[in-house]
Amino acid sequence: MPHYLSSQPTTHSVNTHSKGSTDAHTNNLIGFSIISFPIVLLLGIITYKKYRVAVFRRQVANLEKLWLIDVKNNTYRQD
């Protein structure tokens, strides 16, 4: 099976660095965005849930303090 190889120089010059590099940077940026968006979204949801739990616990603690206050003396009950 013969292989046809040409050793003749080409007459046109192609600047592959500028176009290929730009496309590669664009593809990297798009890929990074696609990967990072769900991660950031997930971290935001987890952080918000932890924040809501902390606020809820603080509200419960304040209500428990209020329930223990004696209305007449405005002091804590000693059961």
Side-chain angles (χ1 to χ4, degrees):
M1 199 180 237
H3 294 285
Y4 299 103
L5 297 176
S6 174
S7 61
Q8 297 175 354
T10 59
T11 58
H12 62 287
S13 65
V14 178
N15 190 359
T16 58
H17 179 67
S18 65
K19 186 174 189 313
S21 177
T22 305
D23 289 342
H25 290 302
T26 304
N27 289 340
N28 287 340
L29 183 62
I30 291 171
F32 178 73
S33 299
I34 290 172
I35 291 172
S36 64
F37 179 72
I39 293 172
V40 169
L41 184 65
L42 182 66
L43 289 175
I45 290 170
I46 291 170
T47 303
Y48 179 73
K49 285 185 177 184
K50 286 185 178 184
Y51 165 76
R52 291 305 306 162
V53 167
V55 168
F56 179 73
R57 287 182 180 166
R58 191 173 32 208
Q59 288 174 344
V60 168
N62 285 337
L63 283 174
E64 287 176 348
K65 283 181 184 179
L66 284 174
W67 289 332
L68 293 176
I69 290 178
D70 190 12
V71 177
K72 293 179 185 176
N73 299 334
N74 205 13
T75 60
Y76 289 111
R77 276 188 274 179
Q78 305 281 331
D79 289 338

